[in-house]
Amino acid sequence: MTVPLRDSPDADLMTGPPERFGELFERYSDQLYDYCARRVGRQLAEDLVADTFAAAFAHRDRYDVTAPNARPWLFGILANLLHKHRRAEARGWRALARAGRDPLDGARPLDESFADEVGDRLDARAATRSLAKALAAMPHEQREVLLLHVWACLDYPDLALALALPPGTVRSRLHRAKAKLRQALPSHYAPST
């Protein structure tokens, strides 16, 4: 009995015939794109996600087949590609901190979840600027862990896999990043520990 494509484990898709690799793209490309677009904008995100899957396909022999899914591994590849763009990203965060306008043309919608009241909007915009300033000033290692945790919803073990770091290093970097956000943001916006 053949296993339908949709039910195949990631390791089978990674090690199986090349034509089955495409299902990994179907499973994870939207998640990678959403995360990446928030970081570098939509146009560059398309290129980076394509490059991520091209690299994953070219190096699929390096995939740890004991891993339950390929998601952290793919986010790790994407994180490595994003390292090349970290200076541009930091400039974008600084621009957002100064002007309160998203330089990525809406890749990070700022106003969708804000309350309709003007006072709440002004308060939220001030918090957005503070957040952007804190992210721009944050060392890229801490920013990477924080954004993968928040935007890609990777937990500690997946972060460790994605970034090829010991779990203790992940915890430490995330703790430091959250501490910097707590300092930068008003208490009702600050992240919990």
Side-chain angles (χ1 to χ4, degrees), residues 1-104:
M1 172 183 220
T2 24
V3 177
L5 281 178
R6 299 263 177 235
D7 297 331
S8 298
D10 290 356
D12 290 351
L13 298 173
M14 196 68 74
T15 60
E19 59 271 10
R20 293 191 69 196
F21 185 85
E23 185 166 341
L24 288 173
F25 183 84
E26 291 178 25
R27 285 183 187 176
Y28 300 115
S29 62
D30 287 345
Q31 295 172 42
L32 292 166
Y33 173 79
D34 290 345
Y35 171 74
C36 193
R38 295 174 105 177
R39 299 277 308 263
V40 296
R42 289 179 239 153
Q43 185 173 356
L44 184 55
E46 289 176 9
D47 294 339
L48 289 174
V49 170
D51 291 347
T52 297
F53 281 97
F57 183 78
H59 302 290
R60 64 189 186 278
D61 59 323
R62 297 181 189 168
Y63 178 71
D64 177 6
V65 295
T66 63
N69 66 60
R71 186 172 179 263
W73 188 67
L74 292 168
F75 270 106
I77 294 170
L78 179 60
N80 286 334
L81 293 172
L82 281 166
H83 282 297
K84 297 176 184 177
H85 301 282
R86 72 176 183 247
R87 286 188 187 137
E89 180 186 30
R91 280 193 304 273
W93 287 118
R94 285 191 295 273
L96 180 58
R98 279 191 310 274
R101 295 196 46 160
D102 190 350
L104 298 177

Side-chain angles (χ1 to χ4, degrees), residues 46-168:
E46 289 176 9
D47 294 339
L48 289 174
V49 170
D51 291 347
T52 297
F53 281 97
F57 183 78
H59 302 290
R60 64 189 186 278
D61 59 323
R62 297 181 189 168
Y63 178 71
D64 177 6
V65 295
T66 63
N69 66 60
R71 186 172 179 263
W73 188 67
L74 292 168
F75 270 106
I77 294 170
L78 179 60
N80 286 334
L81 293 172
L82 281 166
H83 282 297
K84 297 176 184 177
H85 301 282
R86 72 176 183 247
R87 286 188 187 137
E89 180 186 30
R91 280 193 304 273
W93 287 118
R94 285 191 295 273
L96 180 58
R98 279 191 310 274
R101 295 196 46 160
D102 190 350
L104 298 177
D105 191 32
R108 285 186 302 273
L110 300 178
D111 295 324
E112 288 178 8
S113 65
F114 295 157
D116 289 332
E117 298 297 319
V118 173
D120 288 345
R121 286 184 184 201
L122 292 174
D123 187 35
R125 285 187 181 148
T128 299
R129 287 181 176 158
S130 296
L131 174 64
K133 185 176 181 182
L135 287 169
M138 195 176 288
H140 72 90
E141 295 90 355
Q142 291 174 15
R143 183 173 53 242
E144 189 75 47
V145 170
L146 177 70
L147 295 178
L148 279 169
H149 179 65
V150 174
W151 286 346
C153 301
L154 295 181
D155 58 14
Y156 289 113
D158 286 347
L159 284 166
L161 283 172
L163 299 172
L165 294 171

